[in-house]
Amino acid sequence: MHRYRFILYRPIQLLPVLIGISIIIFVLVRSIPGDPVRALLGARGTPESILRIRAQFGLDEPLWTQYFYFIENLFKGEMGRSILYKIDVLELIGTRIEPTLVLVGGSVLLALLIAVPLAAIAAKYRGRPVDHIIRLMSTAGLGFPAFWLAIMLILLFSIQLDLFPVAGYGKTFGEKLHHMILPWLTVALALSAVLTRNLRASILAELHSDQATAARARGLPESVVFWRHVMPNSLVPTVNLLAINIGWLISGTVVIESVFAIPGMGQLLIRGIFTRDYMVVQGVAMTFACATVFVNFMADVLTVTIDPRVKL
Amino acid sequence: MSPPVLSVRDLSVIAKTDQGPQTLVDRVSFELNRGEILGLVGESGSGKSMTCRAIIGLLPSSRISISGGSVILRGKSDLTHLEESDMRKVRGGDIGMIFQNPSSHLDPVMSIGGQITESIRYHHQVNRAEARNRAIEILHQVGISDPAQRIDDYPHEFSGGMRQRAMIAVALACNPEILIADEPTTALDVTVQAQILRLLMDLREKRELSIILITHDLGVVAQVCDTVAVMYGGRICERGPKREIILDAHHPYTTGLIDCQPSGGSHRGLVKTIAGQPPSQGSMPTGCAFHPRCAHATKECAQTEPAAVDYQPNHMLACHHPIGEINEGGRA
Ligand SMILES: Nc1ncnc2c1ncn2[C@@H]1O[C@H](COP(=O)(O)OP(=O)(O)O)[C@@H](O)[C@H]1O
Ligand code: SF4
Ligand SMILES: [Mg+2]
C-alpha cells in the first residue's frame, strides 16, 4: 500500500504552490483598473462615504497588510466580505457552487460516456468507414470554439426545435436537468473529441501489444482481453489528459455560464470583475485554483490505482 | 503406441502483401510425443514463431493466414478447422505459450496472481478461493519462493528470471499438455537461462509436459531437447533425434550452424558465422532456399527444390547433396 503514501505528503508539497497562486491572484485582482467603492456608490458617493466604506473593507490599509488579511482569512477558512453583496464571500460561493459543479461534473461524465465507446469502436474497426467517421468527428470537435458551438446548439435545439430552454438553471431537479443538457453537450463534444483521439491511439497500441497477445494465447475471449487488459493499460495516459482538460474546463465555465446564463461561479467571477469586488474575485479565483489542484491530485490517485508501476 | 500429442502435417502460412502472396511457413511437418522436448532452431526470420502462432491459431495480422496442412491434437481434432470458441479452449487449456520477453508479455497493471486466476476461472468454473489456491500451488511449482506472499505482486516487482517463471506459471495455469516456448531464455543472462531450462526439464519430468522449444542457440538444444527440427526460409530442412542432429547432421545448413557454435572447439574465441544473409520475405531464392549460401550447391540446387525425405523413420532431410554417409535403410 505504500504506493499511496504520497497522499500524506502531497498536501504539504502543494502548500507553497497555493501560496504562490494566492499572491498572483491578489496582485492581478488589485491591478484591475478602477476602484471598488466608486463602482459601488457610483454618482451617489460623497468623499466621506467613500472613505468610510474603504475603511470598512480595509481598503485603506497598505497592500501587504491587505494580502496578509487575505491569507489569514484563508487559513481560518474565510474569504472576507463581498463589497457588493455585503455577505461573506464563502457564503456567496456556497449559493453559486452547485450549478458549476453540476456543469463540470455532468460534462466530464458525458464526455467519457461518448469518448470511451467511440474510441473502442474506432480502434476495433481501424481503417473501416466507422473509424473514419469517428476520427472526422473528433477532428471537427476539436476545431469548434466552445462559445460558437454553444450558440449553434441553442439555435438548433432551443430556437428551431424548441426542445430545451435557451438559458437559465431552474429550481427543481427536472428543470435543472432540462436546462443543463445543452451546456453539458457543448462542453462534452469538445472534451470527448480530445479524449477519443487520445484513447483510440492508446487502445490501438495496446490491442497489438505483447501482453494482449499473451492474454489471447491463454484462451481468453476477445471481450475479456479488451476490457481487462487492453482498456486498463490504455486508460493510464488518458487519465492525465482528462485532468489537464478538467483544469481548463474549470476556468472555461466562465464562458459557458455566460452564454447559457447559468448562475454559477463563473458568472459570479465576471460580475465581481465588473464591480471591482476584490474579495469575490479573489475568493472565486482561489476556489478555481484549489479545485484544479485537487483534480490533478485525484488524477494521481487514480493513476496509481490503475498502474502499480507509477511512483509518486 | 499412443498417437503423438501433436502432429503437424504440411502446415503452410501465407501473407498477402502488395507484391502478392508470400509463403512464410512452407509445408512444415513434425510430431510431438508425450513428454518430449522438440527444439525448433533456425536463424531469425526463418518462420519459427510463425509456425507456432499458426499452431495455436493466433496469427499476428489478418493478412496472414494458414494456406494448408493440418495440426492434429491427440490424434483427434484438427486445430486448423476448429471453431474460434473451441480454439479458445485449446489455447491455455491444451497448449500453453510463453515468450521471449516476459516483461512485455505480462500485463503490467494486473497482479501475477490475477493473471493466473483469471485463466483458471475462465477455463475451469471454480470459485475465487479455489483458483487462488491453485495459483499459489503453480507458483510454487515453477520455483517462486514464498508464493502465498508473492501472488499479489505485480510483474515489475519481480526480477527478470522470476518474471520468466511467472510467465511459465501463467501459461501452465490450466494444466496444458503442451507448452510452446518461443525463445524463452534469449533475453536472460547465462545463469538464469540455465535455471529456466532446468525448470522446463523438471516440468517435463513431473507433468509429462510436451514442449516445443524455439531457439537459435544450439547449445540450448544440446542441453534439453530430445528432437530437433532445423528451419530455414520457412521450411524444415532437417529433423531428427538430437544425437543425430548434433553428431551426424547431413544438411549443409545444419552442419553450418553446428560449426558456428562458440564451443565448437577448434574455433576458440572466434565465433564463426555462415556467410551471407538469410532470405528475406519476398526474395526467396528458387530451388533450395539455402543455395546462395551453400558450399555444396550445384545447378540442380538452384533449379529444383529438394524434397523432404524421411530417410529413416524419424530423420527427415531436404537436400540434393547431403553431407556424409546416409544409411537409407528406413527410406519409405
Ligand atoms: N506481422 C507480420 N506481417 C508480415 N510478415 C511477418 C510478420 N511477422 C513476421 N513476418 C515475416 O514472417 C517470417 C517469419 O517470421 P518469424 O516466424 O517471426 O521468424 P522467427 O521466429 O524464426 O525469427 C519473416 O520473414 C518475417 O519477416
Ligand atoms: S539442396 Fe543443394 S543448396 Fe540446398 S542445402 Fe543441399 S546441397 Fe546445399
Ligand atoms: Mg521469433
Side-chain angles (χ1 to χ4, degrees):
Chain A
M1 278 300 105
H2 65 261
R3 61 186 152 116
Y4 288 108
R5 208 155 44 194
F6 75 98
I7 294 179
L8 292 178
Y9 58 77
R10 175 62 57 84
I12 302 165
Q13 290 177 333
L14 285 175
L15 203 63
V17 175
L18 287 173
I19 289 179
I21 292 175
S22 74
I23 295 175
I24 295 171
I25 289 174
F26 183 83
V27 171
L28 283 180
V29 168
R30 307 292 138 160
S31 47
I32 305 172
D35 177 83
V37 182
R38 278 184 211 284
L40 178 71
L41 298 178
R44 292 176 291 140
T46 61
E48 301 89 80
S49 59
I50 288 176
L51 277 180
R52 201 184 62 245
I53 291 177
R54 288 187 77 86
Q56 195 184 333
F57 287 93
L59 296 173
D60 52 349
E61 311 255 4
L63 268 186
W64 65 269
T65 317
Q66 290 187 36
Y67 175 73
F68 180 74
Y69 285 150
F70 173 45
I71 286 293
E72 192 191 14
N73 275 336
L74 280 182
F75 274 97
K76 285 193 289 190
E78 292 169 20
M79 286 178 172
R81 279 169 72 84
S82 157
I83 302 169
L84 178 68
Y85 298 92
K86 308 250 172 11
I87 57 167
D88 252 26
V89 171
L90 212 56
E91 209 176 301
L92 195 57
I93 289 175
T95 65
R96 299 298 198 91
I97 200 160
E98 184 201 291
T100 302
L101 277 181
V102 171
L103 174 62
V104 174
S107 329
V108 169
L109 204 66
L110 186 60
L112 284 173
L113 285 177
I114 296 173
V116 173
L118 284 190
I121 292 168
K124 288 226 107 160
Y125 299 99
R126 173 194 198 173
R128 311 262 194 88
V130 63
D131 178 30
H132 293 307
I133 293 169
I134 290 171
R135 278 166 58 201
L136 202 72
M137 273 165 42
S138 55
T139 309
L142 284 179
F144 299 137
F147 68 88
W148 182 86
L149 195 63
I151 291 167
M152 287 303 131
L153 288 174
I154 292 174
L155 281 178
L156 178 64
F157 288 104
S158 304
I159 294 172
Q160 289 286 325
L161 301 173
D162 203 17
L163 286 175
F164 301 109
V166 174
Y169 187 54
K171 294 210 162 47
T172 65
F173 178 77
E175 274 175 24
K176 289 174 184 173
L177 197 69
H178 201 206
H179 278 91
M180 291 310 279
I181 285 177
L182 284 189
W184 280 340
L185 214 53
T186 306
V187 178
L189 285 181
L191 184 54
S192 62
V194 186
L195 296 181
T196 305
R197 279 170 75 101
N198 178 271
L199 194 54
R200 175 187 172 275
S202 343
I203 291 175
L204 267 183
E206 282 299 330
L207 271 176
H208 296 99
S209 67
D210 288 347
Q211 62 102 359
T213 303
R216 290 183 194 107
R218 272 179 263 150
L220 300 177
E222 199 54 35
S223 59
V224 174
V225 174
F226 188 81
W227 291 108
R228 296 197 49 165
H229 297 286
V230 169
M231 209 52 176
N233 279 283
S234 311
L235 279 176
V236 177
T238 308
V239 167
N240 286 300
L241 183 73
L242 181 62
I244 293 168
N245 275 280
I246 295 177
W248 282 106
L249 181 55
I250 288 171
S251 34
T253 54
V254 174
V255 176
I256 304 296
E257 287 181 8
S258 299
V259 176
F260 289 100
I262 300 166
M265 304 263 294
Q267 290 269 57
L268 192 60
L269 183 69
I270 300 269
R271 194 154 167 74
I273 291 172
F274 280 126
T275 57
R276 312 291 186 267
D277 200 341
Y278 291 165
M279 309 302 167
V280 169
V281 180
Q282 259 163 218
V284 174
M286 209 55 215
T287 310
F288 279 177
C290 289
T292 307
V293 166
F294 179 73
V295 166
N296 279 291
F297 176 70
M298 288 313 289
D300 283 349
V301 174
L302 195 58
T303 303
V304 167
T305 305
I306 302 176
D307 189 344
R309 289 168 300 179
V310 176
K311 290 266 180 298
L312 290 169
Chain B
M1 219 178 91
S2 60
V5 195
L6 194 73
S7 168
V8 177
R9 283 269 148 261
D10 293 325
L11 185 66
S12 298
V13 174
I14 55 163
K16 272 185 252 150
T17 68
D18 299 335
Q19 294 88 43
Q22 264 153 23
T23 306
L24 303 182
V25 174
D26 192 7
R27 289 159 291 162
V28 161
S29 301
F30 60 80
E31 284 177 352
L32 183 69
N33 290 304
R34 195 167 176 79
E36 182 184 23
I37 301 183
L38 169 80
L40 205 51
V41 289
E43 285 162 301
S44 167
S46 56
K48 308 181 294 291
S49 300
M50 207 58 81
T51 302
C52 292
R53 297 285 214 103
I55 291 171
I56 60 167
L58 275 185
L59 290 164
S61 97
S62 56
R63 300 171 70 90
I64 300 179
S65 59
I66 293 177
S67 58
S70 59
V71 177
I72 311 288
L73 184 67
R74 272 180 251 111
K76 292 197 288 277
S77 42
D78 181 355
L79 302 186
T80 60
H81 286 92
L82 232 46
E83 292 287 327
E84 176 60 19
S85 60
D86 292 324
M87 197 61 208
R88 277 204 296 271
K89 296 198 186 88
V90 171
R91 289 184 209 125
D94 296 298
I95 306 178
M97 184 149 183
I98 61 170
F99 304 86
Q100 175 175 342
N101 188 347
S103 311
S104 65
H105 285 89
L106 287 167
D107 185 345
V109 310
M110 188 186 273
S111 70
I112 299 287
Q115 296 180 55
I116 299 175
T117 51
E118 178 185 49
S119 306
I120 296 176
R121 298 197 61 194
Y122 180 72
H123 283 281
H124 313 287
Q125 270 60 47
V126 298
N127 64 33
R128 218 169 269 277
E130 168 67 17
R132 193 177 164 86
N133 284 336
R134 287 199 203 175
I136 292 173
E137 170 57 27
I138 191 103
L139 282 174
H140 175 72
Q141 280 180 30
V142 300
I144 304 274
S145 50
D146 208 0
Q149 216 57 46
R150 305 300 309 258
I151 185 171
D152 295 316
D153 281 4
Y154 288 88
H156 74 279
E157 294 169 293
F158 277 31
S159 68
M162 296 250 295
R163 235 174 270 160
Q164 189 58 277
R165 287 172 193 269
M167 185 159 70
I168 295 172
V170 173
L172 295 183
C174 301
N175 292 314
E177 285 173 84
I178 301 167
L179 180 70
I180 298 176
D182 192 346
E183 313 233 14
T185 59
T186 307
L188 303 173
D189 65 54
V190 190
T191 42
V192 183
Q193 168 171 338
Q195 288 167 9
I196 296 295
L197 291 178
R198 209 169 305 131
L199 171 64
L200 289 179
M201 290 199 281
D202 188 45
L203 289 167
R204 179 262 293 274
E205 205 72 24
K206 288 198 181 119
R207 298 179 157 231
E208 282 206 285
L209 192 65
S210 311
I211 302 176
I212 299 176
L213 180 67
I214 298 181
T215 177
H216 56 252
D217 183 350
L218 275 177
V220 169
V221 169
Q223 272 180 64
V224 299
C225 295
D226 305 308
T227 314
V228 185
V230 182
M231 280 192 84
Y232 189 85
R235 280 192 91 186
I236 292 184
C237 56
E238 186 166 14
R239 170 171 46 73
K242 174 180 73 184
R243 259 187 64 84
E244 290 180 25
I245 296 290
I246 301 277
L247 300 176
D248 189 22
H250 298 301
H251 196 283
Y253 179 62
T254 316
T255 55
L257 279 183
I258 290 165
D259 284 346
C260 293
Q261 280 309 106
S263 54
S266 52
H267 328 284
R268 202 175 300 272
L270 200 98
V271 179
K272 230 176 86 178
T273 54
I274 301 175
Q277 290 294 312
S280 63
Q281 210 189 8
S283 65
M284 200 56 75
T286 54
C288 172
F290 188 54
H291 86 258
R293 300 169 76 188
C294 181
H296 306 260
T298 60
K299 230 173 117 193
E300 186 190 14
C301 301
Q303 284 163 357
T304 41
E305 193 181 46
V309 178
D310 289 316
Y311 76 90
Q312 273 175 13
N314 51 9
H315 197 141
M316 183 278 265
L317 184 66
C319 178
H320 292 304
H321 312 292
I323 294 173
E325 197 87 341
I326 288 197
N327 167 15
E328 298 197 33
R331 188 163 188 162

